[in-house]
């Protein structure tokens, strides 16, 4: 049976609003909100039904939402006025459906002998979501984030990741230099100076690709632990690439070599 909430003063609604607005509250509750059918179905395919599904009055009438509700009669569903649902959404035009989910922890501690992507101080949510999506697409399932990176489970990062989160083992708040010091594969950091061309560099075995923050790049302490420094040749009159573009080039160069 569908529950109905009409008041902003409802304790459950206040809790959802905290999840929507505050990284601290998401961390405290161990939960976050997914927006839209794409993220909901991607979550369900990996983790099953979410804790709670929130639908707007008009959203219930949309065919894809109505079909999902019919197909999942055991889901806990709460109906909200469209105005209240819009206050929880992260988009200008809300999709009509959100879901509260428990943030999944990684299956195990970071492995020191498998492919991974290390993200050092990434601050832009859109960039982080793109990086996670690119890593998943290239088959790099383990991702480590430094303590000062933007929260991986924020609504903006989730939207940019387009479901990649649910294919990855995400390790937030990691000591990247410490991890690299005992990494048993080959570590490669992107940088502009003292580096080897991506297309001339040689590597083998498990790889740890390291990408740094927008503007500052990989920090010295992390860079010092990398076995190789890699630069992407840019014949055009451009100083640098967006970190998401740089990661895509490097990760799919790895894919190309391995398939060859």
């Amino acid at each position: 049976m569908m529950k109905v909430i009409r008041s902003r003063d409802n304790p459950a609604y206040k809790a959802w609003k905290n999840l929507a607005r505050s990284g601290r509250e998401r961390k405290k509750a161990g939960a976050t909100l997914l927006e839209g059918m794409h993220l909901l179905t991607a979550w369900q395919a990996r983790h099953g039904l979410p804790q709670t599904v929130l639908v707007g009055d008009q959203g219930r009438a949309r065919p894809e939402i109505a079909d999902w509700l019919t197909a999942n009669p055991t889901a806990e569903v709460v109906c909200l006025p469209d105005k209240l649902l819009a206050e929880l959404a992260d988009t200008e035009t809300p999709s009509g459906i959100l879901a509260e989910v428990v943030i999944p922890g990684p299956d195990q501690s970071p492995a020191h002998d498998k492919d991974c992507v290390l993200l050092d101080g990434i601050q832009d949510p859109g960039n982080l979501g793109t990086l996670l999506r690119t890593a998943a697409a290239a088959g790099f399932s383990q991702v480590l984030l430094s303590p000062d990176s933007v929260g991986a489970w924020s609504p903006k990062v989730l939207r940019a990741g387009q479901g990649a989160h649910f294919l990855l083992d995400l390790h937030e708040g990691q000591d990247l230099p410490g991890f690299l010091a005992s990494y048993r594969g080959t570590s490669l950091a992107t940088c502009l100076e003292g580096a080897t061309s991506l297309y001339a560099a040689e590597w083998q075995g498990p790889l740890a690709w390291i990408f740094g923050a927008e503007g500052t790049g990989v920090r010295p302490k992390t860079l010092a632990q990398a076995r190789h420094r890699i630069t992407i040749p840019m014949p055009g009159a451009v100083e640098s690439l967006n970190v998401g573009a740089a990661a895509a080039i490097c990760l799919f160069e790895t894919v190309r070599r391995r398939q060859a």
Side-chain angles (χ1 to χ4, degrees), residues 65-235:
I65 294 177
D67 290 346
W68 188 90
L69 294 173
T70 300
N72 295 276
T74 61
E76 181 176 332
V77 181
V78 176
C79 185
L80 300 171
D82 294 321
K83 187 173 182 179
L84 294 192
L85 190 76
E87 292 179 12
L88 302 178
D90 191 54
T91 56
E92 292 184 6
T93 306
S95 64
I97 188 167
L98 292 94
E100 179 188 1
V101 300
V102 174
I103 295 174
D107 294 335
Q108 57 186 359
S109 300
H112 290 75
D113 58 355
K114 65 180 290 187
D115 287 339
C116 54
V117 173
L118 278 59
L119 303 177
D120 193 15
I122 304 298
Q123 293 295 312
D124 183 84
N127 280 344
L128 179 54
T130 297
L131 287 160
L132 297 181
R133 190 176 183 184
T134 301
F140 284 72
S141 61
Q142 180 173 251
V143 179
L144 284 69
L145 298 96
S146 64
D148 59 341
S149 290
V150 65
W153 294 92
S154 74
K156 286 183 171 62
V157 178
L158 281 160
R159 192 170 71 250
Q162 286 292 296
H165 289 67
F166 317 138
L167 304 173
L168 300 169
D169 286 327
L170 296 175
H171 303 268
E172 295 189 87
Q174 295 296 307
D175 172 11
L176 302 187
F179 173 84
L180 290 168
S182 55
Y183 184 66
R184 296 192 290 275
T186 300
S187 52
L188 309 100
T190 53
C191 62
L192 296 175
E193 298 180 358
T196 302
S197 165
L198 170 67
Y199 305 116
E202 297 182 2
W203 62 71
Q204 61 183 359
L207 301 179
W209 275 106
I210 311 160
F211 304 104
E214 306 83 358
T216 59
V218 179
R219 285 173 289 199
K221 285 187 178 180
T222 308
L223 190 61
Q225 294 294 335
R227 183 174 299 178
H228 297 294
R229 299 185 180 193
I230 301 296
T231 188
I232 299 170
M234 292 181 288

Side-chain angles (χ1 to χ4, degrees), residues 45-70:
R46 183 70 181 265
H47 297 290
L49 289 174
Q51 254 187 202
T52 309
V53 174
L54 313 176
V55 295
D57 290 329
Q58 293 184 23
R60 292 169 58 190
R62 296 177 183 174
E64 63 174 351
I65 294 177
D67 290 346
W68 188 90
L69 294 173
T70 300

